[in-house]
Amino acid sequence: MSHRYRLYPSPEQVPTLVRHCSDARFVWNLALEQANLYRPDRGPTPNHAERCRQLSEARRETWLKEGSSSVQQGALRDFDQAMRNWWNGTHGRPTWRKAGHQEGFVVRDLVVRKLNAEWSSVVIPKLGPVKFKVSRALPEGAKSARVSLDGAGRWHVSITSTPVAREHTPTGAVVGIDRGVATTLATSDGQMMRIPTSSKMHARVKYLQRTLARQKRGSKRRAKTRQKIRTTNARITDRRKDWVEKQTTRLVDNYDAVVVENLKVKNMVARPKPKSDPASPGEYLPNGASAKAGLNRSIHASCWSMFERRLVDKARQTGVQVLLVDPAFTSQQCSACGHTDRENRESQAVFLCRSCGYSAHADYNAARNIVARGLDLAPTPGQGARRGRKTQSARVSPDPSGRENSSAEVAA
Ligand SMILES: [Zn+2]
């Protein structure tokens, strides 16, 4: 659990923060390089103590010594945690840190002082107290924090606290959720939710991009426009994040189990393969790439992955179950009689069963199929007929070790 606050460094404090960011990035990338060079035949990888020793050696000989050793060691710990997350299967493999992208560093042995009702300060190595706005209650017993710079040039401090067990009062209710582009979330009890689209802000970004294209390269005005684009984009992302937080909290509060499709979002947003033209080698036929790019943008904007990640995180804290089920044919199967036919889908929004005449909103019908699969009430069409499809439902149970139980249980 971490609570994020807006940090307001003075102009004189900014260069030191920037320096800490670049040190943390440098050390992280060194650690990643070392991890990439690892081969099993070269013996065990150096442990944390060994690398801290290597770091202090590097500090003696290089410009690293002018930076903060606590920030640099923090980056090593940060990297170790990222590697552990990767091993546990909750996150992808750590990647290179790039300048100007997700800049930040860790502050250990956290010291936070209250200034007044609105402001507090956090002690940053080599800098002393930097003030931040207390926009929400400060977590108790926090030991570390992360200072970060977002794409809009705003500084933040995320204070990490040990997670407090969220209270969940059993409700006996189970819900199925269909994730879509037109309706972001449709539930099996008939709710339809859309993520905020921020069309005014999107229009502003487009307008600013046109302005940017006209402006002279390297000019001050151009830099200003670019900054405005970043700020607007960051606001759009903030709104979406906020929406996902609210929806996932509501779900774990109201239901004992939430069933979602086991979507491989990464594969879904892959670019279509180029189609070469057999008639003239070296040239390519249309492959639908631009239409797919538009759909991909919508999928990204719907934040399906973020939704699932936050849902699983919160479910773990509350003891709510998240069930992942096979997504095959959820939109073509009739939730009343089980008849599966692509003709059942009248249109994007309307489902009409060719066999029993059941009619409903297509996303609602899909959500009902999803919850039925989660409860093992309905089989997946084509089960067993296709090779290589061995799982019907996979369970993600709340597991304190943070390891996602991805080994699927074959439902009877
Ligand atoms: Zn039917």
Side-chain angles (χ1 to χ4, degrees), residues 1 109-112 138-145 158-162:
M1 265 300 276
D109 307 319
L110 189 69
V111 180
V112 171
L138 286 164
E140 300 270 325
K143 297 237 164 43
S144 70
S158 297
I159 299 180
T160 321
S161 64
T162 38

Side-chain angles (χ1 to χ4, degrees), residues 38-338:
Y38 167 74
R39 295 287 176 276
D41 53 292
R42 289 194 198 153
T45 44
N47 59 19
H48 184 73
E50 168 64 13
R51 280 190 309 167
C52 281
R53 200 191 55 72
Q54 291 174 353
L55 179 64
S56 49
E57 207 167 274
R59 277 177 60 81
R60 269 199 297 280
E61 289 156 15
T62 64
W63 49 267
L64 277 172
K65 63 172 169 282
E66 290 142 37
S68 152
S69 70
S70 139
V71 164
Q72 292 162 10
Q73 281 181 14
L76 276 186
R77 279 178 201 277
D78 216 14
F79 180 79
D80 288 341
Q81 184 59 50
M83 283 301 267
R84 274 197 295 276
N85 291 345
W86 176 53
W87 282 110
N88 288 337
T90 55
H91 293 68
R93 194 173 202 279
T95 52
W96 300 107
R97 288 258 163 101
K98 294 186 192 103
H101 187 69
Q102 291 183 337
E103 293 268 31
F105 61 90
V106 177
V107 179
R108 298 182 53 76
D109 307 319
L110 189 69
V111 180
V112 171
R113 286 196 197 99
K114 198 174 166 180
L115 302 175
N116 54 43
E118 244 184 292
W119 295 90
S120 285
S121 71
V122 54
V123 176
I124 306 287
K126 297 214 162 201
L127 201 54
V130 178
K131 61 178 187 171
F132 65 93
K133 197 156 193 179
V134 185
S135 45
R136 56 198 288 196
L138 286 164
E140 300 270 325
K143 297 237 164 43
S144 70
R146 183 177 169 78
V147 171
S148 61
L149 176 66
D150 70 13
R154 301 173 298 188
W155 290 92
H156 303 274
V157 57
S158 297
I159 299 180
T160 321
S161 64
T162 38
V164 263
R166 286 174 70 101
E167 283 293 311
H168 173 78
T169 327
T171 57
V174 180
V175 73
I177 307 243
D178 179 55
R179 282 172 281 180
V181 168
T183 309
T184 317
L185 303 173
T187 69
S188 55
D189 46 17
Q191 302 169 60
M192 302 273 169
M193 273 114 23
R194 285 196 71 173
I195 199 160
T197 46
S198 321
S199 53
K200 264 190 192 163
M201 285 196 256
H202 280 295
R204 183 171 156 76
V205 170
K206 275 205 170 147
Y207 164 77
L208 289 169
Q209 275 166 344
R210 281 198 300 273
T211 313
L212 187 80
R214 281 198 305 270
Q215 287 169 328
K216 221 173 86 188
R217 276 176 186 279
S219 71
K220 271 192 179 163
R221 278 163 193 268
R222 193 181 156 94
K224 233 178 175 178
T225 311
R226 176 160 292 160
Q227 190 55 46
K228 279 182 191 163
I229 292 176
R230 285 201 190 120
T231 311
T232 317
N233 276 330
R235 284 208 185 114
I236 294 171
T237 313
D238 284 352
R239 277 186 74 180
R240 285 185 187 143
K241 268 189 193 159
D242 189 52
W243 186 85
V244 168
E245 290 301 327
K246 278 185 186 141
Q247 296 301 333
T248 45
T249 299
R250 202 177 58 79
L251 287 169
V252 296
D253 282 348
N254 294 345
Y255 302 96
D256 291 352
V258 183
V259 191
V260 291
E261 289 171 298
N262 191 3
L263 299 177
K264 297 274 177 278
V265 177
K266 239 190 197 156
N267 300 348
M268 294 171 76
V269 295
R271 276 189 292 182
K273 276 199 189 115
K275 238 191 244 172
S276 52
D277 188 349
S280 52
E283 293 193 15
Y284 294 92
L285 294 169
N287 64 347
S290 64
K292 186 69 176 70
L295 179 63
N296 287 352
R297 264 197 300 279
S298 305
I299 292 176
H300 282 305
S302 304
C303 302
W304 292 350
S305 303
M306 197 208 300
F307 169 78
E308 188 175 316
R309 204 169 50 239
R310 294 302 292 139
L311 181 67
V312 169
D313 279 355
K314 287 181 188 176
R316 226 177 243 147
Q317 291 164 18
T318 50
V320 167
Q321 271 211 316
V322 174
L323 304 157
L324 300 178
V325 297
D326 189 340
F329 305 111
T330 48
S331 59
Q332 295 174 19
Q333 188 178 17
C334 172
S335 64
C337 74

